[in-house]
C-alpha cells in the first residue's frame, strides 16, 4: 500500500514591516507519507514495512524491507525543525542556512563539487543528499557521526561552514521572541536549549522520505513502471558482473558501509584520507560512506568532491579497472567489490537509465516564505507553489 498523503505545511506569517517576525502557526498534521497516532507521533506508512529484512531477502532484490527509521516525532517538532532548517539565524553572520547546502530542488544537495560555507569559504567535500537520512546509521562522507543530532553539530560550528558557536547560537535564538514562543509550544520551556534545536532538526530531516519512485512501483509488482531500457539496466545493476547492488543495496540503495574505491580527486587536490581521519584505521584511508542512489539524478556532480560531472562518468569509473586512479605512492585497501567488470558502453548507458528511475520528490517539504528570525530565506524554490 502506498503512503497516504496528508497536509504537512505550516502557514508561516511574514514579519511586519520594521517589526519583529510574527509567530508562525506550527503544523498539526504529519508530513505526507506519515500517519499521526494517539501519542501525537508521526509514523511512516510504506509497503516496505511489510517485507522481510535484508538478511532474509537476499542482496539486490526488490522485495526487501527497510531498516529502522527515526520516527515518532510530533508534527510540531518536525515543523519547528523545518523553520530552523531554512533560517540563516543559525549561522554566525546570519547569511546561510542548513538549506543553503541542502537545497530541496537539488535533491537536498547543492549542485557543487565542494560546498561553500560562511564568507565564501570552499569546504573539502560535497554536501550529501538528505533524502531518507532518518533510515541511516552513520553520517558525513567519512561516517564520523552516528546520529542526526551529531550530524547537525558539525556544520553549525565548523569555521568554514556555518561558523557559529554554541553560545552565540543559543543567545541568538533566545533573543528572538518568535523562537522563544515556538520552543515554549513544542518543548514547554522558557529557555531554548541547544539539545532541543538538534532534536527539532533531526525530526525534520527524518521526515524527508523518498520511497515512491517508478522503481518502487516496480517493486510492488507494477512491472510496466520501468521502461525496457531501465529494466535491462536494473538487471545489470543486480548482476554478479556489475555487482552494483552489493554496495548500493535496495531499498535504500546503500549498505551504509565505508568503502575504499580509489576515486580520483579534482585536479590540483591531494588525496582526501576520508574515514581514516575519524577512525585512525589505515585500512580506511581514502574510504567514504557508500551514498544512497535515491534521487541521484538531481545531485550532480558525484563522489565526495564532485570529481565526476555526470552519472555516465561515475559509472564508467567503476569499469576502468581496479585501482586505476590511485595516486602514485598510495597503497589503498581497495574494497573487494572494486574489480574490472568490463561492461560494454551500451550496458553503462542502461545503468544510467535505471538510476533515473530512482527519482521521487513527491514528499518534498514546503520552503517557508518567511522564517521566525525575520531574516531573508536564502534558498528559493524553482516554483512559487512550493513556498508556504
Amino acid at each position: 500500500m502506498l503512503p497516504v498523503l496528508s497536509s504537512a505545511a505550516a502557514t508561516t506569517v511574514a514579519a511586519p514591516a520594521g517589526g519583529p517576525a510574527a509567530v508562525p502557526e506550527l503544523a498539526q498534521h504529519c508530513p505526507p507519507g506519515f500517519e499521526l497516532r494517539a501519542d501525537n507521533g508521526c509514523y511512516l506508512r510504506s509497503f516496505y514495512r511489510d517485507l522481510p529484512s535484508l538478511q532474509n531477502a537476499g542482496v539486490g532484490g526488490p522485495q526487501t524491507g527497510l531498516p529502522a527509521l527515526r520516527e515518532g516525532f510530533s508534527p510540531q517538532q518536525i515543523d519547528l525543525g523545518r523553520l530552523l532548517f531554512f533560517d540563516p539565524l543559525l549561522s554566525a553572520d546570519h547569511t546561510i542556512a542548513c538549506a543553503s547546502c541542502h537545497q530541496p530542488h537539488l535533491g537536498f544537495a547543492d549542485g557543487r563539487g565542494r560546498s561553500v560555507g560562511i564568507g565564501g569559504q570552499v569546504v573539502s567535500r560535497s554536501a550529501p543528499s538528505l533524502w531518507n537520512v532518518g533510515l541511516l546509521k552513520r553520517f558525513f562522507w567519512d561516517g564520523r557521526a552516528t546520529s542526526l543530532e551529531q550530524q547537525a553539530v558539525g556544520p553549525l560550528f565548523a569555521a568554514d561552514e556555518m561558523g557559529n558557536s554554541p553560545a552565540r547560537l543559543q543567545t541568538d535564538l533566545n533573543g528572538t521572541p518568535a523562537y522563544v514562543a515556538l520552543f515554549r509550544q513544542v518543548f514547554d520551556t522558557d529557555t531554548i536549549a541547544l539539545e532541543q534545536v538538534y532534536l527539532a532538526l533531526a525530526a525534520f530531516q527524518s521526515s524527508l522520505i523518498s520511497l515512491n519512485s517508478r522503481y518502487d512501483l516496480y517493486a510492488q509488482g507494477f512491472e510496466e513502471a520501468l521502461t525496457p531500457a531501465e529494466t535491462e539496466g536494473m538487471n545489470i545493476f543486480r548482476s554478479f558482473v556489475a555487482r552494483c547492488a552489493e554496495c548500493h543495496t535496495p531499498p535504500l540503495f546503500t549498505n551504509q558501509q565505508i568503502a575504499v574505491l580509489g576515486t580520483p580527486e579534482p585536479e590540483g587536490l591531494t588525496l582526501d584520507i576520508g574515514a581514516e581521519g575519524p577512525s585512525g584505521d589505515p585500512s580506511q584511508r581514502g574510504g567514504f560512506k557508500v551514498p544512497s542512489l535515491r534521487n541521484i539524478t538531481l545531485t550532480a556532480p558525484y563522489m565526495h568532491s564532485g570529481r565526476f560531472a555526470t552519472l555516465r562518468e561515475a559509472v564508467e569509473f567503476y569499469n576502468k579497472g581496479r585501482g586505476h586512479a590511485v595516486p602514485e605512492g598510495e597503497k589503498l585497501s581497495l574494497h573487494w567489490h572494486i574489480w574490472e567488470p568490463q561492461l560494454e558502453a551500451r550496458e553503462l548507458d542502461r545503468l544510467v537509465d535505471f538510476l533515473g528511475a530512482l527519482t521521487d520528490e513527491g514528499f518534498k517539504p514546503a520552503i517557508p516564505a518567511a522564517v521566525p528570525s525575520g531574516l531573508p530565506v536564502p534558498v528559493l524554490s524553482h516554483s512559487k507553489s512550493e513556498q508556504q
Side-chain angles (χ1 to χ4, degrees):
M1 179 173 60
L2 286 173
V4 177
L5 292 175
S6 62
S7 175
T11 300
T12 304
V13 182
V23 179
E25 179 183 350
L26 293 175
Q28 301 300 309
H29 301 285
C30 295
F34 289 78
E35 64 176 351
L36 184 64
R37 296 185 183 172
D39 63 354
N40 196 38
C42 296
Y43 294 86
L44 179 66
R45 298 183 64 184
S46 171
F47 87 101
Y48 283 112
R49 299 206 125 166
D50 297 325
L51 299 179
S53 67
L54 176 62
Q55 288 77 11
N56 299 321
V59 175
Q63 295 293 303
T64 306
L66 292 167
L69 172 68
R70 285 285 303 277
E71 60 185 341
F73 297 106
S74 72
Q76 296 78 21
Q77 289 173 330
I78 294 170
D79 207 30
L80 175 57
R82 179 179 73 100
L83 296 174
L84 288 165
F85 187 85
F86 287 95
D87 200 328
L89 184 72
L90 273 63
S91 62
D93 65 356
H94 302 168
T95 61
I96 63 173
C98 303
S100 299
C101 291
H102 298 286
Q103 301 183 26
H105 58 282
L106 294 176
F108 280 97
D110 62 5
R112 300 175 182 270
R114 294 187 294 150
S115 295
V116 176
I118 193 170
Q121 298 180 79
V122 179
V123 305
S124 61
R125 296 169 186 160
S126 63
S129 171
L130 296 181
W131 283 114
N132 297 326
V133 289
L135 292 155
L136 301 182
K137 298 176 181 177
R138 58 173 71 187
F139 306 91
F140 295 113
W141 277 104
D142 56 17
R144 66 185 182 272
T146 58
S147 73
L148 282 169
E149 287 87 346
Q150 290 179 11
Q151 184 272 338
V153 170
L156 284 171
F157 306 131
D160 59 351
E161 294 189 55
M162 299 179 78
N164 218 332
S165 69
R168 181 191 294 131
L169 176 57
Q170 192 165 21
T171 297
D172 284 348
L173 288 170
N174 281 288
T176 304
Y179 272 125
V180 173
L182 289 172
F183 275 81
R184 184 182 297 120
Q185 292 177 37
V186 176
F187 294 106
D188 192 24
T189 180
D190 291 325
T191 302
I192 299 171
L194 293 184
E195 289 73 21
Q196 296 162 347
V197 176
Y198 309 149
L199 188 144
L201 288 170
F204 170 67
Q205 292 180 65
S206 293
S207 75
L208 303 178
I209 295 296
S210 178
L211 295 170
N212 284 326
S213 68
R214 287 188 295 110
Y215 165 82
D216 298 299
L217 294 177
Y218 176 92
Q220 294 177 70
F222 300 99
E223 295 185 5
E224 64 275 15
L226 299 183
T227 67
E230 291 165 346
T231 301
E232 182 182 353
M234 179 185 67
N235 290 332
I236 296 169
F237 184 91
R238 294 173 54 189
S239 72
F240 285 107
V241 177
R243 309 180 78 165
C244 309
E246 294 180 16
C247 287
H248 296 285
T249 310
L252 286 188
F253 288 88
T254 172
N255 61 5
Q256 307 202 49
Q257 298 177 10
I258 298 293
V260 182
L261 308 181
T263 310
E265 301 290 350
E267 188 172 350
L269 296 182
T270 58
L271 178 77
D272 186 331
I273 66 172
E276 182 189 22
S279 71
D281 184 352
S283 72
Q284 293 193 333
R285 183 174 182 82
F288 298 94
K289 188 183 71 173
V290 176
S292 171
L293 299 180
R294 293 278 180 172
N295 291 315
I296 193 69
T297 60
L298 305 174
T299 60
Y302 302 104
M303 303 300 186
H304 64 277
S305 56
R307 178 62 175 81
F308 300 126
T310 67
L311 276 176
R312 185 58 165 73
E313 292 177 25
V315 298
E316 188 175 19
F317 161 76
Y318 294 97
N319 205 44
K320 286 185 175 181
R322 182 178 177 85
H324 72 273
V326 175
E328 186 175 352
E330 288 282 355
K331 294 183 179 181
L332 303 183
S333 301
L334 295 177
H335 196 282
W336 64 281
H337 287 159
I338 302 300
W339 66 309
E340 299 180 13
Q342 298 181 356
L343 299 176
E344 298 177 359
R346 178 189 61 81
E347 294 174 306
L348 297 179
D349 291 337
R350 296 296 79 77
L351 281 173
V352 173
D353 290 337
F354 170 63
L355 294 176
L358 302 180
T359 301
D360 163 42
E361 299 181 280
F363 294 162
K364 186 162 59 175
I367 297 174
V371 287
S373 68
L375 294 166
V377 177
V379 178
L380 299 179
S381 169
H382 286 172
S383 171
K384 289 184 179 179
S385 65
E386 293 180 8
Q387 295 190 346
Q388 295 190 22

